[in-house]
């Protein structure tokens, strides 16, 4: 006897009798990452209640703190840096005067690559996309007139991060501020450099050692400092999907945890000072789901896989930045709308810190007017929209909860594939995440060129004549000025003391000692960034990337 037929649900009835009778418009009904989006979600799509939980309680899906923005707003931290330390110091002061609550430092390409401004490879790039910092003198100038013990500072630099942290610590010493009082974050995420950003100084293994040296040093000497910001932002900017950004970022984070544990640190010694950095992209609900899934995965794995018992170790606190890659040079004022939407998704997703891009950044570094409008965007969201009045206002949304679950499942699928390759370091050496990102970027570009995915002002609603914008131009003489600065430092210092400090650094590198104290000594002797990096390269060697395809 046949089993009785399953009764149809109300949702199925609605779809057959109502929705299916109405033709759909010709559109791509997927998220930006290609995840199919159903026409309707119902309570049948909700996960178990314990998967959602409460804010400030495991698994932290709804936020890391019980009161979230009712207790404290996110840190409004605008990325800033151009020219020499003097120009960026003026921009820092401008932003603080207009209500910014934390500083975020952008470095120029030579600084990011570990080159001094007078290195042949630095020509034409000094101060162009960030501030040039070659020496302790530059770092002191950068924070001149700013109490380093009272401000929280973020520094976006990776391969030579240990050198830049040493500059920062010694500059604070000169202000009378001890390392234990310094608050902020330095990015230090070297794995994502090999995956996406491509700014490196050393081979992967010694670079990972330097990261672990910094984690160990900061855990024991800088209790208010985050020694690493595990960064999905640049992975997404390289063309990844949201799922890839989530999975590769978290897997990088787990790898740093494992390295520190192997060093002999207990997970609760350092995990509370790990932070994250995510991209706030244009697909509103997908981004919110990404942040919620990230918190849940991190809390579960730190507790169940790595044995964390301190609740602070389970809290994924993250900075977010609106998507630079979503900005268009065409009709640049449209970028104001894009940035506001992306910022709102970060806030509704529970960010602890936020940078909003300026509308002119597809053309040049932002003007003061554009930066002020970007900051005002955050302030309007915080004070006028009402979204901060209740915690996780989208919690329980059929669509958001279903998307959060699917995002989590996709991340675990990637974890399994990476583990099959021997872990994240081996996967990077085999170009696995690099290939995945390249494939995703190619697919998205095909959709844009076929006009399946619409970019307003680019492949639909174009206009022949865009409004002319005043853009920030970096005067060429600033490069000559900076070269003069670094050469003046070399001329007035004790050259024998510098060489002795760098020799001690090389000895420590060869002996597998923690390098932070020797780096601090080299900085106190006025060694430049480039000299310090080149000294370590004599021990570590350099890195050559293998082709992705």
């Amino acid at each position: 006897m046949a089993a009785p037929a399953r009764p149809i649900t109300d949702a199925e009835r609605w779809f057959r009798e109502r929705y299916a009778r109405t033709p759909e418009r010709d559109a791509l009904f997927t998220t930006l990452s290609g995840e199919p989006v159903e026409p309707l979600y119902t309570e049948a799509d909700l996960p178990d209640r314990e998967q959602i939980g409460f804010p400030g309680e495991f698994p932290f899906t709804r936020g890391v703190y019980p009161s979230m923005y009712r207790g404290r707003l996110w840190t409004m931290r605008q990325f800033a840096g151009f020219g020499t330390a003097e120009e960026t110091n003026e921009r820092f002061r401008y932003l603080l005067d207009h209500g910014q609550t934390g500083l975020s430092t952008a470095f120029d390409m030579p600084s990011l690559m570990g080159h001094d401004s007078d290195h042949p490879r630095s020509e034409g790039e000094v101060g162009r996309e960030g501030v040039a910092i070659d020496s302790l003198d530059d770092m002191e100038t950068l924070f001149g007139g700013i109490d380093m013990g009272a401000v929280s500072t973020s520094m976006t630099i990776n391969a030579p991060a240990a050198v830049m942290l040493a500059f920062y610590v010694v500059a604070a010493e000169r202000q009378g501020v001890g390392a234990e009082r310094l608050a902020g974050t330095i990015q230090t995420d070297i794995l994502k450099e090999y995956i996406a950003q491509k700014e490196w100084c050393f081979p992967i293994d010694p670079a990972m050692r330097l990261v672990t040296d910094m984690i160990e040093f900061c855990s024991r000497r800088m209790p208010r400092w985050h020694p690493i910001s595990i960064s999905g932002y640049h992975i997404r900017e390289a063309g990844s999907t949201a799922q890839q950004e989530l999975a590769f970022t978290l897997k990088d984070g787990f790898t740093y945890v494992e390295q520190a544990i192997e060093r002999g640190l207990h997970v609760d010694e350092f995990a509370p000072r790990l932070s994250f950095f995510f991209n706030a992209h244009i697909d509103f609900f997908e981004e919110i789901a990404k942040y919620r899934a990230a918190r849940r995965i991190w809390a579960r794995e730190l507790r169940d896989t790595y044995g964390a018992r301190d609740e602070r170790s389970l809290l994924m606190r993250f900075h977010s930045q609106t998507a630079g890659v979503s900005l268009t040079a065409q009709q640049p004022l449209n970028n104001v709308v894009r940035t506001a939407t992306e910022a709102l998704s970060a806030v509704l997703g529970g960010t602890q810190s936020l940078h909003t891009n300026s509308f002119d950044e597809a053309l040049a570094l932002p003007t003061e007017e554009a930066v002020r409008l970007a900051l005002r965007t955050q302030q309007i969201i915080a004070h006028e929209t009402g979204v901060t009045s209740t915690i996780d206002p989208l919690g329980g949304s059929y669509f958001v909860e279903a998307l959060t679950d699917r995002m989590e499942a996709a991340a675990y699928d990637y974890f399994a594939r990476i583990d099959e390759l021997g872990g994240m370091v081996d996967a990077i050496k085999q170009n696995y995440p690099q290939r995945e990102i390249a494939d995703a970027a190619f697919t998205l570009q095909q959709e844009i060129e076929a006009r399946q995915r619409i970019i307003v002002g680019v492949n639909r609603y174009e206009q022949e004549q865009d409004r002319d914008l005043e853009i920030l131009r970096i005067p060429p003489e600033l490069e000559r000025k900076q070269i003069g600065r670094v050469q003046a430092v070399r001329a007035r210092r004790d050259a024998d003391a510098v060489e002795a400090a760098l020799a001690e650094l090389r000895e420590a590198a060869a002996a597998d000692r923690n390098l932070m104290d020797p780096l601090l000594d080299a900085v106190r002797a006025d060694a430049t960034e480039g000299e310090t990096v080149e000294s370590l390269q004599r021990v570590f060697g350099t890195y050559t990337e293998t082709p992705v395809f």
Side-chain angles (χ1 to χ4, degrees):
M1 184 176 178
R6 178 182 65 83
I8 68 168
T9 66
D10 287 342
E12 290 169 333
R13 178 200 55 76
W14 168 85
F15 185 85
R16 291 179 189 176
E17 297 178 7
R18 300 285 185 176
Y19 185 80
R21 295 180 181 180
T22 306
E24 291 183 337
R25 61 187 170 88
D26 184 16
L28 199 61
F29 294 108
T30 67
T31 68
L32 184 63
S33 300
E35 186 73 34
V37 176
E38 300 300 328
L40 185 71
Y41 291 81
T42 71
E43 66 179 17
D45 297 292
L46 292 176
D48 293 337
R49 183 175 297 179
E50 58 267 23
Q51 286 291 89
I52 302 176
F54 288 93
E57 293 185 0
F58 188 87
F60 304 101
T61 307
R62 305 197 66 183
V64 290
Y65 300 124
S67 62
M68 288 302 290
Y69 306 137
R70 284 179 70 108
R72 178 183 175 184
L73 292 173
W74 62 93
T75 300
M76 299 180 190
R77 192 189 296 278
Q78 291 300 112
F79 202 35
F82 64 95
T84 72
E86 285 94 344
E87 287 76 34
T88 300
N89 176 264
E90 289 177 14
R91 179 63 65 88
F92 279 172
R93 290 164 173 266
Y94 177 86
L95 289 167
L96 291 170
D97 288 345
H98 283 80
Q100 180 169 305
T101 53
L103 297 176
S104 185
T105 312
F107 296 92
D108 70 355
M109 184 58 72
S111 298
L112 294 171
M113 298 297 293
H115 298 314
D116 287 336
S117 293
D118 58 351
H119 190 283
R121 290 186 178 178
S122 300
E123 184 177 357
E125 293 292 338
V126 175
R128 291 283 171 181
E129 64 172 28
V131 62
I133 300 294
D134 295 317
S135 66
L136 174 60
D137 180 73
D138 289 335
M139 188 66 80
E140 288 186 273
T141 302
L142 183 63
F143 289 93
I146 298 170
D147 183 353
M148 296 173 73
V151 70
S152 170
T153 300
S154 171
M155 293 189 282
T156 302
I157 193 162
N158 296 278
V163 181
M164 208 58 70
L165 179 61
F167 282 154
Y168 192 78
V169 169
V170 178
E173 282 179 7
R174 299 283 176 89
Q175 284 192 4
V177 178
E180 73 284 353
R181 289 177 52 198
L182 296 176
T185 305
I186 192 163
Q187 196 163 94
T188 319
D189 183 0
I190 196 59
L191 289 177
K192 66 89 180 170
E193 290 297 329
Y194 299 109
I195 293 171
Q197 184 114 343
K198 313 302 183 182
E199 293 160 2
W200 48 64
C201 297
F202 314 111
I204 296 177
D205 295 318
M208 285 293 288
R209 170 196 166 181
L210 262 177
V211 173
T212 312
D213 285 351
M214 292 177 67
I215 292 173
E216 182 179 39
F217 176 84
C218 292
S219 296
R220 292 172 176 169
R221 307 256 294 270
M222 299 181 72
R224 301 182 64 209
W225 192 264
H226 296 84
I228 182 168
S229 176
I230 304 153
S231 176
Y233 186 85
H234 303 99
I235 290 172
R236 193 67 179 280
E237 291 287 290
S240 80
T241 65
Q243 293 87 343
Q244 290 167 347
E245 179 193 359
L246 174 66
F248 298 158
T249 305
L250 286 170
K251 198 62 174 174
D252 286 350
F254 298 146
T255 303
Y256 296 129
V257 168
E258 290 161 6
Q259 292 263 334
I261 290 172
E262 287 176 15
R263 176 68 66 88
L265 296 172
H266 188 276
V267 65
D268 289 328
E269 243 187 297
F270 64 88
R273 279 171 294 281
L274 300 180
S275 64
F276 284 79
F277 175 23
F278 286 111
N279 196 301
H281 219 297
I282 194 63
D283 193 314
F284 188 75
F285 292 107
E286 182 172 60
E287 295 305 289
I288 293 166
K290 178 184 72 183
Y291 307 133
R292 299 170 95 252
R295 280 193 293 269
R296 195 154 76 198
I297 295 168
W298 183 255
R300 180 189 304 117
E301 294 303 314
L302 265 287
R303 186 190 70 176
D304 297 347
T305 301
Y306 299 107
R309 294 296 174 262
D310 185 339
E311 188 175 84
R312 295 175 304 157
S313 299
L314 311 183
L315 306 184
M316 170 179 274
R317 290 156 300 174
F318 68 93
H319 172 70
S320 47
Q321 179 177 338
T322 57
V325 75
S326 74
L327 304 179
T328 63
Q330 300 92 329
Q331 302 178 34
L333 289 179
N334 292 346
N335 295 328
V336 176
V337 182
R338 293 186 178 103
T339 294
T341 302
E342 292 164 355
L344 184 59
S345 74
V347 170
L348 292 175
T351 192
Q352 277 62 66
S353 173
L354 177 60
H355 164 89
T356 33
N357 289 331
S358 300
F359 67 85
D360 55 357
E361 287 190 61
L363 301 167
L365 290 175
T367 62
E368 285 191 352
E369 179 186 15
V371 166
R372 184 173 62 250
L373 180 58
L375 178 59
R376 293 290 183 256
T377 301
Q378 294 198 48
Q379 292 164 340
I380 289 168
I381 291 172
H383 301 294
E384 296 186 27
T385 63
V387 298
T388 59
S389 296
T390 192
I391 303 158
D392 188 30
L394 291 178
S397 157
Y398 304 144
F399 180 39
V400 169
E401 298 296 355
L403 207 51
T404 300
D405 281 0
R406 279 153 56 188
M407 190 74 68
E408 181 179 8
Y412 276 101
D413 285 344
Y414 269 115
F415 296 163
R417 278 179 265 173
I418 291 166
D419 287 341
E420 288 171 2
L421 295 172
M424 198 56 173
V425 170
D426 285 341
I428 291 170
K429 290 177 179 178
Q430 296 171 58
N431 278 329
Y432 172 69
Q434 297 95 309
R435 283 195 303 271
E436 288 290 296
I437 293 168
D439 288 345
F442 181 70
T443 298
L444 178 60
Q445 189 61 34
Q446 284 183 309
E447 292 173 354
I448 292 169
E449 291 180 6
R451 297 194 175 195
Q452 295 174 301
R453 198 168 295 281
I454 302 304
I455 310 296
V456 173
V458 176
N459 63 359
R460 188 176 290 184
Y461 313 115
E462 303 98 323
Q463 63 186 45
E464 290 184 10
Q465 186 67 38
D466 279 343
R467 169 187 169 186
D468 289 333
L469 288 177
E470 181 180 343
I471 62 173
L472 180 67
R473 301 186 187 278
I474 307 300
E477 55 266 25
L478 288 184
E479 180 163 333
R480 294 191 292 272
K481 174 185 172 183
Q482 182 62 24
I483 289 172
R485 285 177 63 93
V486 68
Q487 290 176 346
V489 167
R490 293 198 196 102
R492 68 173 180 260
R493 69 190 184 182
D494 183 338
D496 290 338
V498 173
E499 183 47 46
L502 292 177
E504 175 63 25
L505 175 64
R506 291 192 295 272
E507 184 180 321
D512 206 26
R513 288 160 36 203
N514 189 301
L515 295 179
M516 283 309 301
D517 279 321
L519 282 169
L520 289 167
D521 289 339
V523 167
R524 293 185 185 110
D526 278 326
T528 66
E529 180 196 38
E531 291 166 338
T532 307
V533 168
E534 288 170 8
S535 200
L536 287 172
Q537 286 174 333
R538 289 167 60 179
V539 180
F540 294 156
T542 56
Y543 178 73
T544 302
E545 184 180 33
T546 55
V548 173
F549 296 107

